[in-house]
């Protein structure tokens, strides 16, 4: 049986807080108490919840929504972080003693996601050091990283994007709970903001309608997305089509589902805050976050 969105959200909240009071479920989901009462009754009658705890049947019903894998895009040079990246790939740069990518990998592992793929290119052999802590990682070699944008990494990993997170590997994640074990629909992380001069989304009813650089009353974009089984199957063909079009190799991979093939995809924005995640765009940003670089 396919769950409704409200059933999914509340069942997920029950996993997060077993036997929680309904006000706690309201706090987690944002739904009214009336909706919580109604849906909890439905879930109980269906046998998915018993005495405030998810049942084995509930877990079985959630299985189609379980995230199967995580794909890390990590092939680039990281030119804006020179001189640090002259000898170290950007995702392996330490911020306050922790490698950037570890903040993401730790969250993926904590969510029980066992299939982990990493597309590497620049100084790729250095990523081998991750295997000591994360032995499940499988590497995908990108020989095109120096002549194409990150769409080349997506092209090489496009067969893995069903029921999958796709993560830019050079983000610093402070809130690991953003990486969840179950997802209902395709989405990107975004922070609501009055203004940004960076990549951002225009949205309507939480659906992304446009991606652009700079905007007012929009969502600042972060490069962590999730793709359902259906969406991932479409991406397989869409990424290939855009990559092979004139000028396609110069595009960012996110432009495939959010710009060039937007009509093929329904993608929500999943809201977070600037305290949850940081993108280090420059050496100046790094020095602000970590005084040891000053």
């Amino acid at each position: 049986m396919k769950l409704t969105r409200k059933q999914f959200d509340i069942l997920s909240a029950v996993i997060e807080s077993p036997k929680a009071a309904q006000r706690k479920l309201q706090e987690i989901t944002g739904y009214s108490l009336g909706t919580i009462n109604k849906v909890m009754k439905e879930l109980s009658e269906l046998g998915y919840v018993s005495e405030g705890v998810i049942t084995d049947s509930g877990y079985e019903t959630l299985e189609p929504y379980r995230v199967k894998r995580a794909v890390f895009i990590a092939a680039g040079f990281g030119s804006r972080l020179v001189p640090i990246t002259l000898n170290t790939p950007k995702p392996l740069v330490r911020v306050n003693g922790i490698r950037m990518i570890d903040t993401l990998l730790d969250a993926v592992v904590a969510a029980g996601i066992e299939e982990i793929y990493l597309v590497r290119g620049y100084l790729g052999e250095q990523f081998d050091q991750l295997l000591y802590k994360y032995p499940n990682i499988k590497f995908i070699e990108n020989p095109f990283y120096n002549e194409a944008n990150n769409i080349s990494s997506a092209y090489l990993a496009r067969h893995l994007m069903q029921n999958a997170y796709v993560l830019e590997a050079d983000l610093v994640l402070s809130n690991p709970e953003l990486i969840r074990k179950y997802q209902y629909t395709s989405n990107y992380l975004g922070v609501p903001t009055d203004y940004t001069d960076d990549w951002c989304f225009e949205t309507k009813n939480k659906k992304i309608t446009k991606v652009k650089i700079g905007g007012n009353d929009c969502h600042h974009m972060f490069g962590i997305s999730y793709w359902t089984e259906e969406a991932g199957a479409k991406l397989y063909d869409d990424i290939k089509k855009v990559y092979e079009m004139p000028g396609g190799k110069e595009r960012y991979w996110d432009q495939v589902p959010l710009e060039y093939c937007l009509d093929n995809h329904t993608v929500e924005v999943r809201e977070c805050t600037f305290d949850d995640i940081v993108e280090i765009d420059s050496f100046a940003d790094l020095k602000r976050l970590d005084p040891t670089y000053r």
Side-chain angles (χ1 to χ4, degrees):
M1 172 185 167
K2 182 174 173 62
L3 294 169
T4 67
R5 181 60 177 272
K6 291 176 181 177
Q7 288 173 338
F8 171 85
D9 288 342
I10 293 173
L11 196 55
S12 299
V14 169
I15 295 176
E16 182 179 334
S17 294
K19 298 186 178 181
Q22 289 177 337
R23 288 197 179 277
K24 178 63 176 178
L25 298 179
Q26 180 187 30
E27 177 186 322
I28 295 171
T29 64
Y31 293 131
S32 68
L33 285 175
T35 297
I36 299 290
N37 289 331
K38 177 184 177 185
V39 175
M40 281 294 286
K41 183 179 179 182
E42 293 172 357
L43 294 172
S44 180
E45 290 173 349
L46 289 165
Y48 301 156
V49 170
S50 177
E51 297 182 354
V53 177
I54 187 170
T55 64
D56 289 344
S57 180
Y59 277 115
E60 289 175 11
T61 302
L62 277 175
E63 188 61 20
Y65 306 96
R66 183 171 60 85
V67 181
K68 291 183 178 178
R69 62 187 63 89
V71 178
F72 286 84
I73 305 296
F77 170 52
S79 59
R80 289 180 292 181
L81 220 60
V82 170
I84 299 298
T85 49
L86 292 176
N87 299 304
T88 306
K90 186 178 176 184
L92 298 180
V93 170
R94 292 182 181 270
V95 181
N96 297 313
I98 301 172
R99 294 174 300 207
M100 293 187 199
I101 195 171
D102 284 40
T103 66
L104 301 165
L105 283 165
D106 286 347
V108 165
V109 171
I113 301 166
E114 297 182 354
E115 283 188 51
I116 304 173
Y117 296 87
L118 188 147
V119 187
R120 63 183 180 177
Y122 174 67
L123 298 178
E125 70 283 351
Q126 290 196 24
F127 288 97
D128 287 347
Q129 65 186 271
L130 294 173
L131 294 172
Y132 294 104
K133 186 178 178 183
Y134 311 102
N136 286 0
I137 292 177
K138 294 181 175 64
F139 295 115
I140 299 171
E141 310 298 335
N142 181 356
F144 313 115
Y145 74 90
N146 208 27
E147 60 190 64
N149 217 320
N150 72 1
I151 191 173
S152 62
S153 292
Y155 177 82
L156 293 166
R158 69 191 193 280
H159 61 293
L160 298 167
M161 292 187 177
Q162 293 176 290
N163 297 108
Y165 283 116
V166 179
L167 308 96
E168 291 181 11
D170 57 357
L171 299 169
V172 177
L173 184 66
S174 301
N175 181 6
E177 292 183 4
L178 288 175
I179 306 301
R180 298 172 182 166
K181 188 173 185 176
Y182 302 99
Q183 291 283 347
Y184 192 79
T185 188
S186 300
N187 61 73
Y188 265 85
L189 287 184
V191 179
T193 183
D194 294 333
Y195 171 77
T196 180
D197 58 3
D198 211 328
W199 284 92
C200 60
F201 308 123
E202 290 183 5
T203 62
K204 183 177 181 180
N205 298 324
K206 292 190 175 182
K207 304 291 192 301
I208 297 173
T209 57
K210 186 177 182 179
V211 63
K212 60 183 182 178
I213 299 177
N216 298 300
D217 298 321
C218 57
H219 283 82
H220 180 102
M221 173 183 178
F222 281 108
I224 297 179
S225 57
Y226 173 76
W227 303 95
T228 65
E229 182 176 7
E230 180 183 5
K234 292 178 181 177
L235 281 173
Y236 182 86
D237 295 322
D238 291 344
I239 291 170
K240 183 176 187 293
K241 180 175 73 174
V242 175
Y243 185 72
E244 294 176 349
M245 66 188 279
K249 294 180 182 180
E250 300 169 14
R251 307 303 174 194
Y252 292 100
W253 98 265
D254 318 81
Q255 292 177 280
V256 175
L258 301 182
E259 182 175 345
Y260 295 103
C261 303
L262 181 62
D263 290 344
N264 280 357
H265 298 273
T266 300
V267 187
E268 291 189 0
V269 62
R270 186 157 63 98
E271 291 188 349
C272 59
T273 73
F274 287 117
D275 291 330
D276 291 329
I277 189 168
V278 175
E279 182 175 5
I280 298 176
D281 283 328
S282 66
F283 188 54
D285 290 343
L286 181 60
K287 288 191 289 185
R288 278 194 294 272
L289 280 175
D290 187 341
T292 61
Y293 290 101
R294 294 174 188 166

